[in-house]
């Protein structure tokens, strides 16, 4: 399974420690990223990133597709997520969790007040539906059913109440929390594709084909689907219902639009970056000397490196304006014309 891993600049601007919430809203406040160069930003603007190819689907769990994974990171959230300053897991859609029964029971209290991008309420039914019908479904192409069997016995998930879910494991498994980073999907949009809704287990792979109406693709992430033109561009627009705020309480994201330009050739990606049509770019070690040389000579971007989070091979990243930090997924260089700030 290709698990959600943090996308460079946008996700970095949207993660921090959890706040205790209320029944009406429980936003997660962003703070503690000053060492990464992230500061409060201003609302508005568009940021452009490259995609190596057209996504094969709009449903993350229906295909194994890294390009779809990059887009999905901005559309969906998990119960937990990584703090990119400390590399520790912390609450996301879950406001808190507790481990009991000798390490065999995990109970998650969900963040109340979270809305899907279409305004529907997120709750425990979505979490139970996602794990039972999708992630633990052996027919889902990008599911992870094997991780939910220990010694041949299944992990049981149950709804305790509207905002509490519980996982019961056959035995303790310290790595189990990593599975809680998986994207949660909207039951009200995917029920008809699920076994619970009367479909065959394999039918879940047919959810949200690339010609689906944008309104069908619903998430809790910072952005929602705007338009998708195969071979050209995927445009995401700001999700006004997103549940994260900055240190001043301003609802995130700051950006109005996030554009993924589909450019297959790596050299063409560099050319588009240098032409000002891309704001950030991962580059290879072979491309590093030329771009670093251009930076030293006064080009309007900055080349930076970031540390590895998931053991990815070293790579390089360039960003132009407005300047944001690279992803800690890998060593990276980043070119930026302005001081780093939260987008």
């Amino acid at each position: 399974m290709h698990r959600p891993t943090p996308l460079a600049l946008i996700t970095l601007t949207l993660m921090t420690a959890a706040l205790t919430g209320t029944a009406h809203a429980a936003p997660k406040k962003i703070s503690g990223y000053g060492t990464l160069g992230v500061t409060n930003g201003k609302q508005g603007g568009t940021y452009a990133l490259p995609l190596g190819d057209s996504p094969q689907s709009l449903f993350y769990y229906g295909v194994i597709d890294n390009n779809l994974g990059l887009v999905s990171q901005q559309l969906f959230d998990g119960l937990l997520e990584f703090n990119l300053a400390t590399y520790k897991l912390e609450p996301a859609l879950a406001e808190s969790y507790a481990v009991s029964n000798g390490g065999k029971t995990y109970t998650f209290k969900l963040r109340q007040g979270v809305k899907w991008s279409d305004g529907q309420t997120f709750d425990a039914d979505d979490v139970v539906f996602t794990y039972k019908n999708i992630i633990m479904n052996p027919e889902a192409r990008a599911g992870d059913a094997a991780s939910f069997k220990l010694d041949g016995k299944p992990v049981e998930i149950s709804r305790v109440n509207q905002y509490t879910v519980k996982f019961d494991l056959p035995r303790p498994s310290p790595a189990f929390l990593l599975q809680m980073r998986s994207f949660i999907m909207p039951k009200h949009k995917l029920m008809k594709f699920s076994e619970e809704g009367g479909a065959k287990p394999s039918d879940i792979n047919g959810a949200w084909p690339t010609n689906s109406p944008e309104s069908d693709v619903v998430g809790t992430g910072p952005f929602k689907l705007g338009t998708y033109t195969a071979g050209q561009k995927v445009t995401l627009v700001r999700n006004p219902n997103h549940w994260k705020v900055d240190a001043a309480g301003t609802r995130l994201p700051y950006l109005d639009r996030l554009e993924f330009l589909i450019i297959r050739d790596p050299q063409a990606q560099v050319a588009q970056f240098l032409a000002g049509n891309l704001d950030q770019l991962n580059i290879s070690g072979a491309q590093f000397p030329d771009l670093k040389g251009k930076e030293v000579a006064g080009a309007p971007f900055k080349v930076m490196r970031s540390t590895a989070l998931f053991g990815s091979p070293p790579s390089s990243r360039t960003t132009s304006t407005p300047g944001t930090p690279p992803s800690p997924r890998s060593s990276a260089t980043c070119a930026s014309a302005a001081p780093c700030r939260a987008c």
Side-chain angles (χ1 to χ4, degrees), residues 183-331:
F183 296 139
I184 304 301
M185 296 288 157
K187 179 178 180 178
H188 67 286
K189 287 293 188 179
L190 295 170
M191 182 71 165
K192 64 182 179 181
F193 299 101
S194 71
E195 191 171 13
E196 183 178 338
K200 299 189 298 293
S202 60
D203 288 347
I204 196 67
N205 296 310
W208 295 347
T210 55
N211 62 351
S212 296
E214 287 79 7
S215 59
D216 280 357
V217 184
V218 171
T220 59
F223 295 91
K224 60 182 181 177
L225 185 64
T227 59
Y228 172 41
T229 304
Q232 297 183 33
K233 181 168 65 174
V234 180
T235 299
L236 308 184
V237 297
R238 185 177 185 273
N239 175 11
N241 296 321
H242 191 50
W243 48 278
K244 292 180 178 178
V245 299
D246 68 11
T250 303
R251 189 173 295 276
L252 296 169
Y254 298 119
L255 290 171
D256 291 329
R257 295 159 64 91
L258 182 61
E259 293 186 344
F260 289 91
L261 306 185
I262 298 168
I263 307 171
R264 295 181 177 88
D265 178 45
Q267 293 305 317
Q269 291 182 1
V270 173
Q272 290 295 317
F273 174 78
L274 293 175
N277 297 322
L278 294 172
D279 294 300
Q280 177 173 301
L281 179 66
N282 286 348
I283 60 173
S284 67
Q287 295 166 324
F288 173 82
D290 179 57
L291 285 167
K292 188 64 176 178
K294 285 181 168 60
E295 177 204 352
V296 172
F301 55 79
K302 185 175 182 181
V303 180
M304 305 181 341
R305 293 183 64 86
S306 64
T307 56
L309 179 58
F310 300 109
S312 303
S315 64
S316 300
R317 184 181 310 277
T318 58
T319 64
S320 60
T321 86
T324 49
S327 167
R329 285 185 304 150
S330 61
S331 295

Side-chain angles (χ1 to χ4, degrees), residues 62-131:
V63 294
I64 298 176
D65 181 347
N66 287 336
N67 296 298
L68 175 59
L70 290 173
V71 174
S72 295
Q73 288 165 14
Q74 305 307 319
L75 301 176
F76 308 103
D77 302 296
L79 295 180
L80 302 180
E81 63 188 8
F82 277 115
N83 180 305
L84 298 184
T86 65
Y87 294 176
K88 294 180 179 179
L89 284 172
E90 63 184 26
L93 289 176
E95 185 178 70
S96 63
Y97 66 91
V99 184
S100 59
N101 190 24
K104 294 192 294 183
T105 298
Y106 290 76
T107 303
F108 292 85
K109 178 184 176 184
L110 304 183
R111 197 175 296 277
Q112 298 184 39
V114 174
K115 301 289 186 182
W116 292 99
S117 54
D118 63 356
Q120 295 294 309
T121 298
F122 158 80
D123 63 19
D125 290 334
D126 296 302
V127 178
V128 174
F129 173 84
T130 297
Y131 278 95

Side-chain angles (χ1 to χ4, degrees), residues 7-193:
L7 174 65
L9 88 136
I10 303 301
T11 305
L12 266 170
T13 69
L14 298 178
M15 300 175 70
T16 187
L19 289 180
T20 300
T22 68
H24 298 290
K28 183 173 181 178
K29 183 178 286 187
I30 297 215
S31 61
Y33 282 93
T35 57
L36 299 179
V38 177
T39 60
N40 287 354
K42 297 180 180 180
Q43 289 192 324
T46 299
Y47 210 84
L49 298 165
L51 270 186
D53 209 340
S54 298
Q56 304 168 37
S57 169
L58 298 173
F59 180 58
Y60 176 78
Y61 293 104
V63 294
I64 298 176
D65 181 347
N66 287 336
N67 296 298
L68 175 59
L70 290 173
V71 174
S72 295
Q73 288 165 14
Q74 305 307 319
L75 301 176
F76 308 103
D77 302 296
L79 295 180
L80 302 180
E81 63 188 8
F82 277 115
N83 180 305
L84 298 184
T86 65
Y87 294 176
K88 294 180 179 179
L89 284 172
E90 63 184 26
L93 289 176
E95 185 178 70
S96 63
Y97 66 91
V99 184
S100 59
N101 190 24
K104 294 192 294 183
T105 298
Y106 290 76
T107 303
F108 292 85
K109 178 184 176 184
L110 304 183
R111 197 175 296 277
Q112 298 184 39
V114 174
K115 301 289 186 182
W116 292 99
S117 54
D118 63 356
Q120 295 294 309
T121 298
F122 158 80
D123 63 19
D125 290 334
D126 296 302
V127 178
V128 174
F129 173 84
T130 297
Y131 278 95
K132 280 190 173 180
N133 289 271
I134 304 175
I135 297 172
M136 297 166 66
N137 177 357
E139 295 296 326
R141 294 193 186 103
D144 197 17
S147 293
F148 289 84
K149 280 193 174 182
L150 299 173
D151 302 331
K153 299 177 181 179
V155 172
E156 301 290 340
I157 178 174
S158 59
R159 178 189 191 274
V160 177
N161 57 45
Q162 186 180 7
Y163 292 106
T164 309
V165 295
K166 182 177 67 169
F167 293 82
D168 288 300
L169 282 59
R171 61 167 171 79
S173 176
F176 180 73
L177 283 177
L178 291 173
Q179 314 304 327
M180 301 297 100
R181 295 169 48 240
S182 298
F183 296 139
I184 304 301
M185 296 288 157
K187 179 178 180 178
H188 67 286
K189 287 293 188 179
L190 295 170
M191 182 71 165
K192 64 182 179 181
F193 299 101

